[in-house]
Each structure stands twice: as structure tokens, then as C-alpha cells.
Amino acid sequence: FQDATVISHLMALLSRSRYTQEYICQIFSHCCKGPDHQTILFNHGAVQNIAHLLVSTSYKVRMQALKCFSVLAFENPQVSMTLVNVSVDGELLPQIFVKMLQRDKPIEMQLTSAKCLTSMCRAGAIRTDDSCIVLKTLPCLVRMCSKERLLEERVEGAETLAYLIETDVELQRIASITDHLIVMLADYFKYPSSVSAITDIKRLDHDLKHAHELRQAAFKLYASLGANDEDIRKKIIETENMMDRIVNGLSESSIKVRLAAVRCLHSLSRSVQQLRTSFQDHAVWKPLMKVLQNAPNEILVVASSTLCNLLLEFSPSKEPILESGAIELLCSLTQSENLALRVNGIWALMNMAFQAEQKIKSDILRGLSTEQLFHLLSDTDVNVLMKTLGLLRNLLSTRPHIDHIMSTHGKQIMQAVTLILEGEHNIEVKEQTLCILANIADGTTAKELIMTNDDILQKIKYYMSHSNAKLQLAAMFCISNLIWNEEEGSQERQDKLRDIGIVDILHKLSQSSDPNLCDKAKTALQQYLA
């Protein structure tokens, strides 16, 4: 790849003999590492030059050409989109690949053509409901996972299938009920088997070498199978010793197995039911917290996403996780250079603060520091900003908490709110910010921080007449909380708001065609009459 003439020279040699065809295809597939190489080969006409070799009379040439396509198309939309429309002797490539999948073909041919069709499907070149995927590719890959296959074939079959179904619910459902796949995968954890240890040293060596890969492949496939469907997750978790296997996987020496186990756990942690039961019974949070201590980023991202789910308010793991020093850990994630880690750190803190007691909220604020909070509120990524606002909103809920936090951090929080309402932000960001103001307006003493801040009052007034109904509604919540009659000082607040023109806007809004706005305005006006 360093000398551009090499590739064109090899392409020119392709037609010399079946040996040059076989070996040059082999050279290309072995040397092609990553998208840059794929593009270079593609631009040198690899697809056109190699396609006709798929119908060669020599099996070895057909096989090497097929391998070449599986390497060229892997995670490459450009190549995959081109392959769909290429035909050889009047037959389109996908049809040629499907013929190579048939049961009477050698296993390596079946597997490799399944990989080609999988790449094309993932790139959007073939639809996921196309019969060549549902009736041919998927069943072929499930067959590769069976006990009859060699260990390396089972690894490749499971990994390819995991990739094929990763983002499609329907394929996940079909795979989960094909040939008892979920039970079949449990066998991947049984290597090296005790029998092989006694009988055959060579076999033991082979098993040991593949044991890691088998576990990694099984975890990956379970993660894909359970990505969306509650019933499938339940089946996976009910498979023999599944939770114990995942927990063991989290502390394996092989980083690839650890990553796959965390992915599997993350997939299963999307289930409310499982968070309440299996995850609790197996104290999954313990090994997970351990994984989070000093893992590389790719593991940290998935592990911290899983932690977000374990910290939801209905999850019984929430308490023990807090006691094991999670706040400190998550606060440090929010300072990461890695965007996904910043998002997950703040997201997990947001989940932790939801309906939490005051002590936890104070610990979060202390751990994060107002300085870091401001830093996050000025993050360039809108996800980080939204989750930070979500955290603030959760911290500022229930009156005593609102008053307590505003008495210690009120000045800084009001500054942050002002900054965001003045900045160039999207509707969702501004809506969240106005909801935070509405929460502050619901405090008993916190209200005063709004009432004595003319700048903020003018902003609320401005958003009441905004062109976007969501923002108008959010601004109305602030007003309603400020003028509510039963509360001390409501008369003075009502008068002040009338003086700045709020009542006139309420009258206008009570004529609004939007039923929500209209109702909210009428309710607010009644407070003035009562």
C-alpha cells in the first residue's frame, strides 16, 4: 500500500493463470487492514477485476475471490453498495453468494459468503427483511454455532451473526427461535472440557486457545440477541448459570472477553424486570464497580452505560452502589476528554439524583463542585448540556431540597440559568432550563431569588410570548408557581408581576388556540381573582 504501482501491477497479473488469481486474491485479503486499504483496492478496480473469479472452474480461486470480497465489504458501505449491482454471467453477486451458502458447499465457503451478505445487509445494500437474509444468511450462521462445527467456525459464526442482528429487532427475534440458539450458545462456556484434559494434550491446547474466543463470541451474540426484546432477555438470563458466567467474565484476564461480558450485561440491564431480580440476586454491581476502577476507555464507556441503568430509581442496586464510592467515580468521568464518558458520567449522576434524599444530592454537588457544573453547562456537546440540566432539575425537586440547595448555591445556579437563556441553544435546552426555573419558583424561600432578579423576570415574560408553545408552557409554569394564592407573600408577587405586564399576556394567552396554553393561562388568572 505504500507504493501505488504495486496494486495496479498485481491487478494486471490477475489474468495470467489460476495461480496468479488464487494468490493475488489471497495477498489482497491478507494485507487489507481497515477502511483506507479497502478504498485503495476499490479505486484500483478490485470489484470489477475479481468478480468474474467467483465463477472460476477452480474451487481455490472461487474461495480466495470470495474471501477477498468479505474483507473488502466488511463495515464498508461504499463497497457493499457497489457489490449489489455487479453481475457475472447475467447473475447478480448477492445471488451468487446465496448459492455459495447452500448446505452442500464446504463450510468455509458457506461462512465466508454469509459474511459478505452480512456486510451488505448492515450497509443497507440489502434489506433486513430480504429473503436472502432471513431464509438463507441467518439460518446458515445459526448452523455454524452448532456443536458439530469446529471451534473456530463456531467463533466466526457467532460473531458474524451478532453483527448481522445487532440493530434489527425482527432479526433478533427470528434468531432467538432458530435451532434453540440461546441454549446452543451456553455450550460455548464449556471449554476446555474436563474430558479433553485427560485424553489428549494437543486437543487441550487447542481448546484453551479457543476458550477465550468462544466466550467472547457467545457474550457478543447474547448482547445482540437481548438488545431490544424483553422476552429474549428473560430467556438468556434463565439459561444455565448465565449471570454467574457474566460476573466471571467481568474479571477475566482477556480484555476482549471482559469487554464482551460488559456489553452483554449492558444489553440485559435495559430490562426493568431483570434489574429488580437477577441483577439484585447476583450483586452484579460489585464486579461492575471493580471493572470501572482502571479499565481502558472502550470498556469504561459500556460499563458506565450499564451503571446508568443500575442507578435508575426502581433498581435495588442503587443504595449499595452509592455506598461503594460511585459519586466520586462518576464525577471524575465528567472530566474525561472522551465525550461518551462525560455523557455517561453526568447521565448516571442524573439518574442517581432522581427522587433521592437530600444527603445524596448534597454529596453530588460537593463531589462535582460548582466550577465543574459550570464547565459542563458550557460543554460544546448538546448531550452533555441536556444531561447536566437534567441533573440540576433532579437536584432541585421537592421544596426543602430546593430551598436548601438554593440557599447554598443559588447565586451560581441563577447565573447559569441566565447564561443559557441568553445563549444560542435549541428549544429542548431552553425548555429544560425554564423547567429548572419553575422548580426554583416552587421553593418557599428560593422564590425570592427569581422575584428579586428583574433580568430573569423579563426573560420569563419574553418566553411567555415566544413562537414556540413548549417554551410558552414552561414559562407559564414559572409564573403559576410564583403567584399561587395559598403561599405567603403571594399578594406582593402578584402585584409585582402585574406591574411588569404579565397579566396582560395571560389575558392574551387565555384566548389561545392551543388548549394547554389556554387552560394554564385561565388557571393563573383565577389566582388573581381568588
Side-chain angles (χ1 to χ4, degrees):
F1 286 104
Q2 281 164 9
D3 175 352
T5 58
V6 172
I7 292 174
S8 34
H9 184 57
L10 287 171
M11 289 290 177
L13 290 174
L14 261 175
S15 53
R16 286 291 175 87
S17 72
R18 49 163 276 219
Y19 296 108
T20 57
Q21 293 172 339
E22 178 190 338
Y23 300 145
I24 288 169
C25 284
Q26 200 168 6
I27 290 169
F28 286 156
S29 27
H30 277 278
C31 297
C32 181
K33 305 275 184 237
D36 299 349
H37 293 175
Q38 288 170 326
T39 305
I40 295 170
L41 286 169
F42 179 78
N43 292 340
H44 276 83
V47 174
Q48 294 73 9
N49 285 311
I50 296 172
H52 68 97
L53 303 181
L54 290 168
V55 294
S56 161
T57 50
S58 152
Y59 171 75
K60 284 182 172 173
V61 172
R62 290 201 302 277
M63 195 54 230
Q64 292 306 331
L66 184 60
K67 279 193 173 155
C68 208
F69 278 129
S70 96
V71 172
L72 281 173
F74 182 67
E75 290 187 5
N76 191 315
Q78 184 192 22
V79 176
S80 299
M81 285 303 198
T82 309
L83 292 184
V84 170
N85 303 312
V86 172
S87 62
V88 180
D89 297 348
E91 202 169 16
L92 287 168
L93 281 194
Q95 295 166 320
I96 295 176
F97 291 151
V98 167
K99 280 187 177 166
M100 293 174 147
L101 278 180
Q102 289 165 346
R103 288 170 188 258
D104 59 344
K105 297 287 185 287
I107 293 298
E108 86 174 320
M109 185 172 264
Q110 291 185 44
L111 240 178
T112 313
S113 46
K115 283 166 93 169
C116 292
L117 288 159
T118 294
S119 291
M120 290 159 81
C121 179
R122 281 300 303 262
I126 301 177
R127 289 168 52 113
T128 51
D129 57 2
D130 190 302
S131 63
C132 79
I133 297 297
V134 178
L135 303 178
K136 303 285 185 192
T137 311
L138 186 146
C140 167
L141 289 168
V142 173
R143 285 201 303 277
M144 296 302 146
C145 298
S146 76
K147 253 187 174 148
E148 286 69 67
R149 303 271 52 91
L150 295 172
L151 298 188
E152 38 272 69
E153 292 162 356
R154 295 172 78 182
V155 168
E156 211 170 334
E159 296 219 339
T160 309
L161 184 55
Y163 181 53
L164 174 66
I165 67 174
E166 189 178 10
T167 54
D168 191 276
V169 193
E170 205 36 51
L171 290 180
Q172 289 158 10
R173 293 198 178 119
I174 296 166
S176 74
I177 54 169
T178 304
D179 294 353
H180 307 293
L181 176 64
I182 291 178
V183 178
M184 190 151 63
L185 282 177
D187 193 64
Y188 278 46
F189 294 94
K190 296 178 180 163
Y191 294 89
S193 61
S194 46
V195 187
S196 62
I198 306 159
T199 52
D200 181 354
I201 287 297
K202 211 168 162 189
R203 164 84 193 278
L204 174 66
D205 197 45
H206 175 260
D207 282 9
L208 271 171
K209 187 169 149 285
H210 286 95
H212 287 309
E213 292 172 5
L214 281 162
R215 286 198 293 277
Q216 179 191 344
F219 281 140
K220 273 188 191 167
L221 185 43
Y222 277 137
S224 284
L225 283 163
N228 296 289
D229 187 292
E230 198 59 44
D231 294 335
I232 299 177
R233 289 187 198 122
K234 192 166 181 294
K235 274 190 201 159
I236 292 173
I237 284 177
E238 285 166 1
T239 308
E240 48 176 330
N241 310 331
M242 195 57 211
M243 290 311 276
D244 291 333
R245 286 187 173 134
I246 296 175
V247 167
N248 293 337
L250 292 175
S251 54
E252 281 213 28
S253 57
S254 155
I255 187 160
K256 287 180 171 171
V257 178
R258 278 211 306 279
L259 178 59
V262 174
R263 277 203 183 130
C264 182
L265 189 65
H266 178 235
S267 191
L268 300 173
S269 76
R270 293 186 180 127
S271 157
V272 175
Q273 184 56 40
Q274 300 310 333
L275 284 175
R276 287 183 168 153
T277 52
S278 322
F279 276 56
Q280 196 48 24
D281 302 341
H282 291 264
V284 167
W285 62 271
K286 277 185 188 162
L288 186 68
M289 286 296 287
K290 210 167 142 195
V291 167
L292 281 159
Q293 298 310 327
N294 47 9
N297 277 359
E298 58 173 341
I299 288 188
L300 271 181
V301 170
V302 192
S304 55
S305 292
T306 312
L307 193 62
C308 285
N309 293 343
L310 290 181
L311 286 167
L312 290 165
E313 94 283 3
F314 50 71
S315 158
S317 314
K318 194 169 172 174
E319 292 301 314
I321 291 175
L322 282 170
E323 286 155 19
S324 68
I327 293 180
E328 201 179 338
L329 180 104
L330 294 169
C331 290
S332 70
L333 286 185
T334 67
Q335 297 174 15
S336 169
E337 291 291 304
N338 180 305
L339 172 61
L341 289 177
R342 284 205 304 284
V343 171
N344 287 349
I346 198 73
W347 194 343
L349 288 169
M350 178 182 101
N351 285 349
M352 193 186 275
F354 183 71
Q355 294 182 354
E357 53 203 63
Q358 192 172 314
K359 183 189 176 307
I360 294 175
K361 291 181 178 180
S362 301
D363 286 350
I364 292 175
L365 266 173
R366 212 179 9 260
L368 203 53
S369 83
T370 23
E371 191 184 357
Q372 175 61 1
L373 196 60
F374 272 101
H375 202 60
L376 291 165
L377 287 171
S378 55
D379 199 285
T380 49
D381 183 83
V382 70
N383 258 331
V384 174
L385 179 54
M386 281 298 281
K387 296 285 181 268
T388 310
L389 291 170
L391 167 65
L392 257 179
R393 197 174 165 180
N394 287 347
L395 290 172
L396 294 166
S397 64
T398 71
R399 266 186 198 163
H401 297 183
I402 297 169
D403 290 331
H404 175 75
I405 289 172
M406 291 308 285
S407 69
T408 51
H409 297 82
K411 196 172 151 219
Q412 295 104 316
I413 290 174
M414 292 305 279
Q415 259 174 331
V417 167
T418 309
L419 273 174
I420 290 174
L421 290 178
E422 283 172 357
E424 292 290 318
H425 293 291
N426 67 25
I427 300 292
E428 281 69 30
V429 167
K430 300 218 163 173
E431 183 189 14
Q432 267 292 3
T433 310
L434 287 166
C435 290
I436 290 171
L437 265 184
N439 282 10
I440 296 170
D442 193 36
T444 308
T445 51
K447 278 184 176 48
E448 286 314 302
L449 286 161
I450 298 179
M451 290 308 299
T452 54
N453 187 329
D454 290 336
D455 185 21
I456 285 282
L457 289 174
Q458 286 303 326
K459 286 190 169 54
I460 296 174
K461 179 182 168 182
Y462 164 76
Y463 283 108
M464 282 175 76
S465 309
H466 197 275
S467 56
N468 184 289
K470 280 184 171 176
L471 297 184
Q472 287 179 284
L473 261 179
M476 298 268 283
F477 274 111
C478 300
I479 296 298
S480 301
N481 283 343
L482 292 172
I483 60 177
W484 209 250
N485 264 324
E486 279 96 73
E487 289 161 16
E488 204 183 325
S490 61
Q491 196 54 55
E492 290 85 340
R493 288 193 293 276
Q494 285 183 9
D495 294 345
K496 179 165 185 179
L497 293 171
R498 178 187 280 122
D499 295 343
I500 65 166
I502 296 291
V503 176
D504 301 338
I505 300 176
L506 287 174
H507 278 296
K508 253 188 233 146
L509 288 172
S510 65
Q511 312 296 311
S512 166
S513 57
D514 182 313
N516 280 335
L517 283 175
C518 179
D519 285 356
K520 204 82 187 118
K522 285 179 177 165
T523 312
L525 285 168
Q526 280 166 354
Q527 295 302 309
Y528 272 92
L529 301 171

